[in-house]
Amino acid sequence: MKNLIYLSALLCFILFVASCTKNDAIKPQNVSDTGLTACDSTKKVNYVLSNSTGDDSYEIAFAGQQNYTFPIPANGTATVSVKPGTYSIYVYSPGNYAEHTFSLNGLGVAKESGARYDNVSISGCSVAPSLKIDQ
């Protein structure tokens, strides 16, 4: 009788292991799979705009497969969404010729009254894109 109990427990364990697939055995449960979904070219990408100049007249324009124009806050940050693609990006303040420091995606620092960046690739697979305007 004792052997029968052990044998049935062993049989249950063997059937359980045999029913598992390779992915069930390796992949931890309740963990999201970020794979290709993070690089989905159909979803919009968040773009962070920040400005510390106090000037509320700045705008950013994305020209490419689709065109977007967004206001940039005077102080603080705003997040906008654009479709992945390649754009020319223009940062300008109509009638304002004060020089400020512009930085796009941590690169391309310029001290001007506005900025233009050509052939900027925006992808959900890259580092979060951003624009910073500082004094």
Side-chain angles (χ1 to χ4, degrees):
M1 182 75 170
K2 197 178 203 182
N3 287 339
L4 185 59
I5 293 173
Y6 290 129
L7 184 60
S8 63
L10 180 62
L11 181 60
C12 286
F13 179 74
I14 290 171
L15 289 174
F16 173 75
V17 171
S19 70
C20 293
T21 65
K22 182 179 177 182
N23 288 337
D24 291 336
I26 296 172
K27 184 178 175 183
Q29 298 301 313
N30 299 323
V31 174
S32 63
D33 188 6
T34 57
L36 293 176
T37 57
C39 298
D40 189 349
S41 63
T42 62
K43 293 183 179 180
K44 289 190 173 184
V45 176
N46 287 337
Y47 212 97
V48 179
L49 311 173
S50 65
N51 183 358
S52 64
T53 66
D55 188 341
D56 66 353
S57 63
Y58 276 100
E59 294 184 355
I60 185 168
F62 296 82
Q65 297 142 289
Q66 292 192 324
N67 299 318
Y68 304 94
T69 301
F70 302 103
I72 300 173
N75 282 307
T77 62
T79 301
V80 298
S81 296
V82 297
K83 291 272 290 177
T86 302
Y87 295 92
S88 289
I89 298 177
Y90 306 91
V91 183
Y92 57 93
S93 178
N96 182 353
Y97 301 105
E99 289 187 352
H100 296 293
T101 303
F102 298 87
S103 174
L104 186 77
N105 302 334
L107 305 170
V109 175
K111 183 143 180 122
E112 300 288 337
S113 60
R116 174 183 173 171
Y117 301 91
D118 292 320
N119 297 317
V120 177
S121 179
I122 298 175
S123 165
C125 301
S126 59
V127 175
S130 65
L131 169 80
K132 292 182 182 180
I133 306 173
D134 295 312
Q135 297 290 351

